[in-house]
């Protein structure tokens, strides 16, 4: 079967094989990795920026950096997914450094229909706005950990790899961030 046809299937792709093929310079393999991870990287980036245009630019930069450096990627306990999120996080940090502003949590839902859905799911839109405000007041690492855990649904191990912390330290970081949020709501 031709490699390109294999990537058009809906089945779960073997990331390890795709990474190996991408490392050897196969753009189709990297394209399949892009298709698999781009939605999560986009959501994560959107939550950290103020608009869709910046998000699209940053996601593009993230994957361009990944493509340029994939040949150097080695699985030393950090998954490919964690490696990509680390690149995205560093790209966002560089973006805010050059703008000389502080990273804040942007609105997750820019689509009015999505905003309406979120509003209806919460007891009130005010609570949702308060939650966004309180999350934005957390340290950047705490924000990232919460977003990766509860929006991207990543496991503690992957988040730990991305943040370059131990798994236990990551669990504690998330627990303390949640405790801070609970305290602000009390």
């Amino acid at each position: 079967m031709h490699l390109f046809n294999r990537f058009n299937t809906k089945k779960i792709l073997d990331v390890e094989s795709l990474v190996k093929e991408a490392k050897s310079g196969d753009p189709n393999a990297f394209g399949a990795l892009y298709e698999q991870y781009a939605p999560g990287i986009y959501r994560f980036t959107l939550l950290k920026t103020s608009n869709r245009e910046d998000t699209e630019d940053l996601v593009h930069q993230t994957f361009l950096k990944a493509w340029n450096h994939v040949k150097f990627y080695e699985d030393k306990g950090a998954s490919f997914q964690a490696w990509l999120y680390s690149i995205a996080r560093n790209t966002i940090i560089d973006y805010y450094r050059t703008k000389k502003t502080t990273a804040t949590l942007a609105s997750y839902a820019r689509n009015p229909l999505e905003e309406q859905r979120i509003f209806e799911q919460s007891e009130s839109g005010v609570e949702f706005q308060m939650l966004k405000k309180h999350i934005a007041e957390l340290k950047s690492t705490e924000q990232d950990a919460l977003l990766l855990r509860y929006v991207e649904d990543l496991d503690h191990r992957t988040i730990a790899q991305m943040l370059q912390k131990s798994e236990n330290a990551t669990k504690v970081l998330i627990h303390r961030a949640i405790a801070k949020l609970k305290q602000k709501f009390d």
Side-chain angles (χ1 to χ4, degrees), residues 26-44:
D26 186 341
N28 292 326
F30 190 80
L33 290 166
Y34 173 87
E35 291 295 323
Q36 187 163 342
Y37 292 113
I41 298 291
Y42 183 88
R43 279 188 306 272
F44 175 73

Side-chain angles (χ1 to χ4, degrees), residues 15-154:
V15 173
E16 200 171 297
S17 297
L18 290 174
V19 169
K20 186 176 181 180
E21 292 169 16
K23 285 179 69 159
S24 69
D26 186 341
N28 292 326
F30 190 80
L33 290 166
Y34 173 87
E35 291 295 323
Q36 187 163 342
Y37 292 113
I41 298 291
Y42 183 88
R43 279 188 306 272
F44 175 73
T45 306
L46 182 60
L47 287 164
K48 300 292 288 178
T49 62
S50 58
N51 65 57
R52 290 184 187 274
E53 292 80 20
D54 289 343
T55 297
E56 290 169 4
D57 289 344
L58 292 169
V59 170
H60 174 75
Q61 288 175 30
T62 297
F63 280 96
L64 185 60
K65 288 176 184 178
W67 171 246
N68 289 332
H69 294 91
V70 71
K71 62 185 166 231
F72 304 112
Y73 168 76
E74 291 183 33
D75 185 358
K76 295 181 179 176
S79 69
F80 185 77
Q81 182 180 34
W83 183 71
L84 277 177
Y85 275 97
S86 294
I87 293 172
R89 184 171 186 258
N90 290 334
T91 302
I92 293 165
I93 290 168
D94 290 344
Y95 165 77
Y96 280 110
R97 242 184 233 142
T98 59
K99 285 186 80 168
K100 295 185 179 82
T101 60
T102 305
T104 60
L105 181 68
S107 172
Y108 179 69
R110 294 283 184 185
N111 179 334
L113 294 175
E114 183 69 12
E115 287 179 2
Q116 180 63 31
R117 183 184 65 77
I118 291 170
F119 177 81
E120 289 169 356
Q121 285 180 346
S122 66
E123 287 188 25
S124 74
V126 174
E127 287 179 0
F128 180 70
Q129 294 302 323
M130 285 178 53
L131 178 62
K132 282 185 2 182
K133 177 185 174 282
H134 293 319
I135 290 174
E137 293 169 354
L138 296 173
K139 294 177 187 172
S140 179
T141 307
E142 293 170 329
Q143 287 182 28
D144 292 345
L146 286 176
L147 297 176
L148 292 167
R149 180 71 183 121
Y150 296 108
V151 175
E152 294 304 316
D153 200 27
L154 297 180

Side-chain angles (χ1 to χ4, degrees), residues 169-182:
T170 301
K171 288 177 182 177
V172 169
L173 177 71
I174 292 169
H175 176 76
R176 288 182 179 163
I178 291 170
K180 286 180 183 179
L181 290 175
K182 284 180 181 178

Side-chain angles (χ1 to χ4, degrees), residues 1-9 11 13-14 17-22 24-32:
M1 172 190 294
H2 187 269
L3 192 58
F4 182 75
N5 292 336
R6 188 177 92 208
F7 296 145
N8 285 333
T9 63
K11 66 182 179 178
L13 302 173
D14 178 21
S17 297
L18 290 174
V19 169
K20 186 176 181 180
E21 292 169 16
S24 69
D26 186 341
N28 292 326
F30 190 80

